[in-house]
Structure formats: C-alpha cells, structure tokens
Amino acid sequence: LSRVHSASPSSSTPGAEQREKQYQAHRGLGDRRGGVIGARTYFYADEAKCDQHMETFLRCIDASSGSSEDGFSAIKLTVLGRPQFLLQFSEVLVKWRRFFHQMAAEQGQAGRAALEMKLEVEKLQEALANLGIATKAESQHWFTGDNLAASSTVDLLDWNSLIDSRTKLSKLLLIPNMQTGQLEPLLSHFTEEEDLQMKRMLQRMDILAKRAAEKGVRLLVDAEQSYFQPAISRLTLEMQRRFNRDRAIIFNTYQCYLKEAYDNVTVDVELSRREGWHFGSKLVRGAYMEQERERAAKIGYEDPINPTYEKTNEMYHRCLDYVLEEIKHSRKANVMVASHNEDTVKFTLQRMMELGIHPSEKKVYFGQLLGMCDQITFPLGQAGFPVYKYVPYGPVNEVLPYLSRRAQENRGFMKRANRERDLLWREVKRRLLAGSLFSPNP
C-alpha cells in the first residue's frame, strides 16, 4: 500500500511552510503502525480501496443487526478517505480554537476551563480590528448571525459556529501566528482532487450512518492519532447533529490520555444541550501513547498525552462523571465505558447507583475485548448491565498480529485472572467444608 505521509508536504500543499509541526506530514514518521499496540492502523491506497472498506463496514453493520437487537459497530474514518485531508482539517480547527484561547487570555481569562471562557464582543471586535483581521463594521456582521446567542459575550461554541459561516463567505480568513506575530491564512486551499476526496469521505460516512439508522445499530467512530482527531471528532459531531435527534445512533470516542479530553467532552455535551440532540460517547484511555510521544519529541511540539497513568485515570473518571451527571440531568446522554480497569467499572457502578441511573435505561454500556476480562464482563451481564464484547474480524494473517498486540498490552490481566481463579477456588473449598456447595447463603 502506498503511504500517504511519504510525500513532502510542500510539494502538494500550498503554504505548507506555514503549517504547524503537529499537522505536517513527515517522511520519517510515515508508517503510523510504529509503537502502536492498542489499535489497527491503515494507509491510503486509492478511492476504490476506501469504497471496499465502506462495503466491509456495511456488512459489519448488517451482521451486528442480525445478531443483536441493540448492537454496535465500530468504524475508522482514516480508511474512508485520504488522511492528508484529516491532517489539514485538524490544523484549521486547532488554529481556530487556539485563536479563541489567545483572545481569552488577553481578556484575563487564561487558565479557565474551555466552557467558562466568555469573550466580550466589543473587546473582541477591537482586537480583531487592531490585528488587521477585520474592521469593526466587518466583524459586526459576524456576531449578528442566527447561529450566535443574542448576548454581549461569545463562548467557544459560538466561536466554533463562526468558522462555519465565515468559510461559506470567504475561502480566506486571516488569523495571527502566535510564534511569528504575522497574519496567516487559516484555510489551506484544497486542490480540485482534494476537494473531491473530502466530499467522497463525507458521502461514505453518510451511507454508513443511514444504514446504521435503518438497521437499529449504533455506530462507534474510533479515535485515532491526535493529529487526525480534531477533524474526526468534528465530522462525527456533524453526523450526531443529523442522526441523533431521537436517540443516540452515532457515538464519538474520547481518549482520556489526552490533556484536552475533559474540554472536548464538556464542549460537545454543551453543544448537544443547546441543539437538542442525544450525546453519544465512548470513553477509552488511548491506544497511541508511545507513538504520540515519540512523534512529539522528534518533530518538536508539546506532548499531547497526560504525564502519568494516574493522571489519565483521573481524566477518565472526570470525563465519565461529567457524562453520568448529564444523563441524570437530561436522560439524553449515553456512554460506552470501554475499559478493562476494575476500579473504573466499580467507580461507574457506584456513581450510577448514587445518581439513580438504572441499568435497564441503557444509557450506560460497558465494553471489553473478546477473550479478555471475562471476570468483569460476565458478572456485569448477569447483573443486568448492558455489556458488549469488541469482536475483531478479518483474515487470519491480519487478525493474529492484532490479537498478539492485545496479549502483549494486557499481560497484567493474567495476574487478575489468576486472582479471580484463586478466589473462586477458595469459595468452593469453604462451601464444601460448610456442607453448602450449592447454596450462596450457608
């Protein structure tokens, strides 16, 4: 397969010298499989291959529908189009959001959570005028659209809606580069072929979402590397807006080893509240840590991963608690707790009990990999919780390396399985000695 990252970015992307390091294609790091234990990684071959992947996903949705009344199917967006588009789109989204944080810092709001930052419109207009981005008369039009709240402040959700309306009005929007102090175009100019590739990716996503809705299957959009993820999340959000009106069909995945995970979850939940659709989420710790850190160190940008496993655990529980609170508040949020961590499962069960979320509501799901952590899966199922096994499928020569990585990643789980076996054997012996083998209450 050809590698999308093998070409020099400057040869195909206008303005590539102004691209941020994290979102540049790099020859030495073109193979995204390196250091990846927890996930499959694909390469772009051509549009026909993307269509084949889409057909595979469609068959998977059909299979899930045929085997379960309440099934899930997982998809990866990097197999549905050219990853270079996701790189470029991610850079646009990150630059735009970073600009908001820069304006917030200038208004004395640095360090606040993303949703707590509110820019005063008048001060913002003055800043835009001083930077030479837009005159006050021009920017006045920005803040009077139907999409913006009728108030004197702009929050991050209002700000994100601006990029939609502005890109329709103009292909060129200038924002300041914080390193150079120069104004730069926010939007890269796509070639005609790149524009077609983007449209085809969106069409494939639409076909999959419609099939999932028809079959009563929920679609889990997998998270991928951090330099693709802003675009993946944004495209998934657009599908949620369309398909999650009556129930959660499209689920986005949040990687809690990312430093920005909580901001991502809270901003998306708030958008679902404002627009009235059902929020669907899958929480994972993350599968690309070694690769992410190596890439950040080699290329020279901030490591996006939490510094310790404990910090990641804290982030996971913080994000999970926020979604559980939203379920209690609105009953319009849903979460897949995709974890093999016993403490996380116990935390979830405890919080569900405290918040009055009954398993029969099917707002909280649990997921583990097939063949792993059955000591968690089966008791949850027997207790009436919606619990799912993530089933790998495909040719043996492709699936076996995936399974071997699972075994490598989860060697520690064997100790827990042994402990579970020892506890069970101890209980059997106790009941034998007590003469009550078949009674749980001697």
Side-chain angles (χ1 to χ4, degrees):
L1 295 180
S2 63
R3 294 178 181 170
V4 65
H5 297 301
S6 61
S8 167
S10 58
S11 65
S12 59
T13 308
E17 66 280 358
Q18 297 175 340
R19 300 284 304 280
E20 295 204 1
K21 292 178 180 179
Q22 187 171 358
Y23 303 98
Q24 290 180 13
H26 288 270
R27 185 185 302 275
L29 297 167
D31 190 339
R32 303 199 309 277
R33 293 167 298 189
V36 177
I37 290 175
R40 280 294 309 274
T41 299
Y42 297 84
F43 295 103
Y44 177 77
D46 52 39
E47 293 297 301
K49 194 70 177 175
C50 292
D51 284 333
Q52 288 177 25
H53 289 143
M54 182 189 71
E55 292 297 331
T56 299
F57 285 146
L58 288 171
R59 289 197 298 273
C60 185
I61 291 168
D62 292 343
S64 183
S65 172
S67 60
S68 170
E69 292 181 0
D70 209 19
F72 285 91
S73 186
I75 66 170
K76 273 186 181 293
L77 292 199
T78 51
V79 308
L80 296 177
R82 190 168 181 242
Q84 182 74 17
F85 157 67
L86 295 173
L87 270 178
Q88 291 175 262
F89 188 26
S90 289
E91 183 183 29
V92 167
L93 295 169
V94 167
K95 277 187 173 181
W96 187 245
R97 185 165 176 164
R98 199 173 289 161
F99 185 23
F100 174 85
H101 285 285
Q102 181 186 356
M103 295 292 100
E106 291 186 4
Q107 292 193 16
Q109 299 186 46
R112 291 188 183 181
L115 275 180
E116 293 174 6
M117 293 180 176
K118 297 185 187 299
L119 307 183
E120 293 182 31
V121 170
E122 285 196 15
K123 288 184 181 178
L124 179 57
Q125 288 177 310
E126 288 174 10
L128 293 171
N130 292 336
L131 287 166
I133 292 170
T135 66
K136 202 158 186 180
E138 288 171 334
S139 64
Q140 188 79 36
H141 180 66
W142 295 14
F143 304 106
T144 55
D146 295 334
N147 295 330
L148 295 183
S151 71
S152 60
T153 61
V154 171
D155 67 10
L156 183 58
L157 293 177
D158 297 326
W159 184 254
N160 285 341
S161 71
L162 274 176
I163 194 174
D164 296 333
S165 58
R166 285 298 299 156
T167 52
K168 289 170 189 169
L169 295 172
S170 169
K171 284 289 181 186
L172 193 65
L173 181 62
L174 299 176
I175 63 168
N177 180 315
M178 288 182 284
Q179 278 74 43
T180 66
Q182 301 295 310
L183 290 180
E184 294 177 356
L186 174 67
L187 300 179
S188 303
H189 289 284
F190 288 115
T191 65
E192 189 175 341
E193 176 55 30
E194 286 171 335
D195 199 49
L196 285 172
Q197 288 169 351
M198 177 183 70
K199 287 174 181 173
R200 291 187 196 114
M201 175 184 277
L202 295 172
Q203 287 168 352
R204 293 180 188 112
M205 290 172 65
D206 187 64
I207 289 168
L208 292 172
K210 284 178 177 173
R211 177 71 66 89
E214 289 167 7
K215 297 286 186 176
V217 173
R218 275 75 53 83
L219 216 53
L220 295 167
V221 181
D222 275 352
E224 304 192 49
Q225 286 91 342
S226 64
Y227 39 96
F228 297 132
Q229 195 53 43
I232 290 170
S233 289
R234 185 57 179 261
L235 294 172
T236 304
L237 199 67
E238 293 304 320
M239 286 203 291
Q240 288 181 314
R241 281 171 151 160
R242 292 178 54 204
F243 293 95
N244 286 11
R245 286 290 165 190
D246 300 319
R247 60 189 291 254
I249 291 173
I250 309 298
F251 282 60
N252 196 10
T253 302
Y254 296 89
Q255 298 158 303
C256 294
Y257 69 1
L258 293 178
K259 295 172 182 175
E260 62 180 23
Y262 183 75
D263 278 351
N264 292 340
V265 169
T266 55
V267 167
D268 290 354
V269 166
E270 176 60 23
L271 184 64
S272 72
R273 283 183 198 141
R274 292 187 190 181
E275 297 183 344
W277 43 269
H278 290 251
F279 177 76
S281 58
K282 181 175 97 170
L283 296 183
V284 300
R285 278 172 170 77
Y288 305 97
M289 184 174 72
E290 290 180 27
Q291 186 191 78
E292 291 276 13
R293 286 189 165 150
E294 180 187 3
R295 190 176 190 271
K298 283 187 176 179
I299 298 174
Y301 58 88
E302 183 187 349
D303 181 358
I305 307 295
N306 284 318
T308 64
Y309 184 73
E310 289 71 29
K311 286 290 184 186
T312 292
N313 281 345
E314 288 175 20
M315 181 67 82
Y316 194 108
H317 289 188
R318 191 182 179 202
C319 292
L320 175 55
D321 198 51
Y322 190 88
V323 180
L324 292 174
E325 289 278 1
E326 180 62 17
I327 293 172
K328 177 192 176 184
H329 170 72
S330 72
R331 278 348 196 229
K332 292 183 78 170
N334 304 260
V335 62
M336 164 74 78
V337 182
S339 175
H340 297 133
N341 187 297
E342 290 181 16
D343 292 334
T344 293
V345 173
K346 289 175 183 175
F347 172 84
T348 310
L349 299 179
Q350 179 67 28
R351 291 298 288 140
M352 287 178 70
M353 185 174 67
E354 292 168 357
L355 295 169
I357 303 169
H358 196 272
S360 63
E361 294 182 63
K362 295 186 177 179
K363 296 293 183 183
V364 182
Y365 310 90
F366 295 87
Q368 286 93 42
L369 292 167
L370 180 67
M372 287 178 54
C373 277
D374 289 349
Q375 77 275 13
I376 293 177
T377 309
F378 289 112
L380 281 173
Q382 288 164 353
F385 290 89
V387 59
Y388 291 81
K389 282 299 195 184
Y390 194 99
V391 182
Y393 62 92
V396 171
N397 64 321
E398 291 186 18
V399 175
L400 277 179
Y402 171 89
L403 294 175
S404 69
R405 291 197 298 271
R406 300 280 68 67
Q408 179 186 351
E409 177 191 13
N410 294 288
R411 282 172 295 184
F413 291 130
M414 288 308 297
K415 295 176 183 175
R416 269 176 265 184
N418 290 337
R419 190 188 74 196
E420 183 81 3
R421 183 196 61 194
D422 293 341
L423 289 171
L424 289 170
W425 180 237
R426 223 185 305 172
E427 178 65 8
V428 167
K429 287 193 290 185
R430 187 189 69 77
R431 292 187 185 186
L432 277 171
L433 292 172
S436 56
L437 182 60
F438 299 106
S439 171
N441 299 307

